[in-house]
Amino acid sequence: MDTILVVNAGSSSVKFQVYSVEGEGRLRRQIKGQIDGIGSRPRLRASGANGDPIADRAYPIEAIPDVPAAMGTAGEWLRNELRIHPIAVGHRVVHGGPDYDRPVLIDHGVVARLERFVTLAPLHQPHNLAPIRSILAGFPTLPQVACFDTAFHRTHSPLADHYAIPHQLHAEGVRRYGFHGLSYEYVASALTQIAPEIAKRRVIVAHLGSGASMCAMNQGRSVESTMGFTALDGLPMGTRPGQLDPGVVLYLISEKGMSAANVQNFLYRDCGLKGLSGVSNDMRELEASVDPKAKLAIDYFVYRIGLNAGMLAAALQGLDAFVFTAGIGENSANIRARVVEQLGWLGGALDPAENSRNSRLISGSDSRIPIYVVPTDEELMIAKHTLSLLMTRPTTNPRQERVS
Ligand code: AMP
């Protein structure tokens, strides 16, 4: 069985999925797993195609001190115990910089170029690159593909790509990149199946998870996003503030004496729903809480989604559909109902029964625009890109490069 391994490595976890390649290039998820607690309490957990657990193992801290060690352990488990020898590996890489507008087959030159973007995404890029480097070293002939969160937004106009700062900084890479691109790309492709006519028109997609952003799409291409230079901008998130006057950062430095590292930690870990509520970064806990600050955090989340929908509708000069995706967007009927209320002036109206069932189409018959719930699948997107690059590259039979 030919398989593709998909890797999504973060600072303390390596998530992976294995897809089998079936007839006509169809992909079927066979295994979903992760090693989390890297450097603290490492644990490998995995489930099979039907969701049944197939592994749950704890490791001593010294066995898996870092991301390459976690990748090594996951790889050994797949090869030695499950006899899985992938024909290629697809990686989620958060930053493709200004140039990469699509996935790329990895070699040492690509890794060197991607290293340059570490300063643009210091919390993510080094961890994304670590397993790529260790696989390159251990299995140099195994094809690897980098899939970027920024690539889908490289269709933005120069206006949408700029900040009003001296041009030299833009040339250095200080631009409005936008993120969650693999999720938006998946939703755009799913829409071509669900509603082909709508997929060609003006659509706002709200990716509402622990990270949250919105994307304005026209004809399936990104024209604007709420995120910018980093994944801090735009909507409030689990622990990130979203849009913030840069003067607040100056205040933290000059009045609170915070170092750059402290400010970074604060903005990525202590703000957003968690900071505002003082209760939790988890929407389920906020919805269950009777604390007035939890209510404030939810109200703020919904309000900012409404404001940003107005901004994106202006970028699109109108709106033909709205889509919810990711953890909150796919599961919280309450948040969706409240967001659709905010969309009333844009013609949005809800069918409460369909909404409470998490149906695909949740707009009412009186809605001027259809409103959809489309579960995202970034890993499948990565697997598809990996297979397609593997098939189109000029090479010998990929089976000859299988790791044995
Ligand atoms: P993600 O990052 O896409 O996995 O989304 C994580 C977020 O989705 C967390 O804030 C969860 O609380 C939220 N979430 C998941 N399921 C539900 C649910 N049934 N109701 C409300 N929020 C949910």
Side-chain angles (χ1 to χ4, degrees), residues 207-211 281-285 287 326-328 331-332:
H207 176 109
L208 309 178
S210 38
N281 62 336
D282 191 305
M283 185 56 81
R284 281 166 295 202
E285 290 180 26
E287 288 186 324
I328 300 170
N331 297 300
S332 176

Side-chain angles (χ1 to χ4, degrees), residues 8-14 37-39 65-67 122-124 126-128 269:
N8 180 0
S11 57
S12 65
S13 73
V14 172
I38 296 171
D66 53 21
V67 169
L123 298 188
H124 296 98
H127 307 297
N128 300 156
R269 300 207 162 89

